Amino acid sequence: MKNETTDKRVARTQQALRGALLDLMVECGYEKLSVQQILDRAGVGRATFYLHYRSKEDLLRTSLEGLREYLTRDWHSVSKGKAHSSPPLGFSLAFFQHVDSHRKLYRAIVGRESGAIVDKQMRRLLADLVREDLGSTGHRVRIGSEADLAAQYVAGALMAIVTWWLDRNIKLTAEEIDRTFRQMTLPALQAIHCSAK
């Protein structure tokens, strides 16, 4: 019983810190944000913070892991029970829908206030999802550096589209953005797949 209580307390503390980080990123941007501001907003002490995280960058990385889990869960639930494998880049629609429903947060993540660290972490997360997709059954790309290049290309395209969509307040739905993204991107991935044969 004690471990269960401790685990719940740890989960609440981590959630409070992640929530404080994301709220403050929206309010003042990541670069200007201090660990002390996060602690004050979350109501957590410095020793407790450092018990769970090495730095605000570490907290950011783990906060973005929640996004990765959401996108992966949605992607796999869509393809579950279907006779064929999930479509290439099956996470992209869930990603655009998440962006659309959390516009303030994404403006802070991809905006000028976020800085290079947030951009790098988002690109890494998206590239990892692309690599997972490229390695899944049905769309294998086993060409080492070309597969990594493809992952970086797609992650860069996703970030550029989201930045354009939000900065210019483009009146397209997540579904419309995803459809166009896929029409532009899938032929490039198909070309890499064919060249690998």
Side-chain angles (χ1 to χ4, degrees):
M1 186 69 162
K2 186 177 181 182
N3 281 346
E4 188 177 316
T5 303
T6 302
D7 290 345
K8 286 180 181 179
R9 194 175 325 125
V10 166
R12 276 194 306 271
T13 298
Q14 291 174 340
Q15 181 59 42
L17 289 167
R18 287 192 299 267
L21 171 70
L22 297 177
D23 288 346
L24 288 165
M25 282 175 60
V26 169
E27 291 172 27
C28 60
Y30 178 79
E31 294 297 322
K32 298 174 186 171
L33 189 55
S34 70
V35 169
Q36 189 59 54
Q37 287 173 292
I38 297 168
L39 299 177
D40 292 345
R41 177 67 61 95
V44 171
R46 187 169 289 276
T48 302
F49 176 86
Y50 287 108
L51 182 64
H52 300 287
Y53 305 103
R54 293 183 306 273
S55 61
K56 79 174 186 178
E57 289 81 12
D58 189 31
L59 174 59
L60 173 66
R61 266 191 302 279
T62 59
S63 297
L64 292 178
E65 279 303 310
L67 173 60
R68 178 197 306 262
E69 290 168 11
Y70 165 79
L71 294 175
T72 302
R73 192 172 46 249
D74 188 77
W75 169 21
H76 293 301
S77 71
V78 167
S79 61
K80 194 174 187 176
K82 293 185 178 179
H84 56 82
S85 61
S86 65
L89 304 178
F91 67 90
S92 65
L93 178 57
F95 175 64
F96 289 123
Q97 289 170 333
H98 196 267
V99 169
D100 198 29
S101 63
H102 297 87
R103 283 179 173 261
K104 284 184 180 179
L105 174 60
Y106 278 94
R107 277 194 179 97
I109 289 175
V110 300
R112 289 168 295 283
E113 308 86 33
S114 67
I117 293 169
V118 177
D119 184 71
K120 182 178 178 181
Q121 291 301 323
M122 277 298 297
R123 286 175 189 268
R124 181 177 293 153
L125 179 152
L126 293 169
D128 287 348
L129 288 170
V130 174
R131 275 189 216 90
E132 181 182 339
D133 180 81
L134 295 177
S136 66
T137 308
H139 5 282
R140 290 195 187 278
V141 176
R142 293 183 181 222
I143 44 181
S145 60
E146 286 187 18
D148 193 48
L149 176 73
Q152 296 303 319
Y153 168 81
V154 174
L158 286 164
M159 290 295 286
I161 289 168
V162 167
T163 301
W164 167 81
W165 190 24
L166 297 177
D167 281 355
R168 296 193 180 183
N169 204 22
I170 302 298
K171 302 297 182 201
L172 293 173
T173 66
E175 291 74 16
E176 290 168 324
I177 294 284
D178 185 60
R179 186 172 43 254
T180 303
F181 163 74
R182 296 168 75 68
Q183 287 170 345
M184 293 185 302
T185 307
L186 293 179
L189 293 180
Q190 184 61 36
I192 290 174
H193 179 69
C194 291
S195 72
K197 291 180 179 178

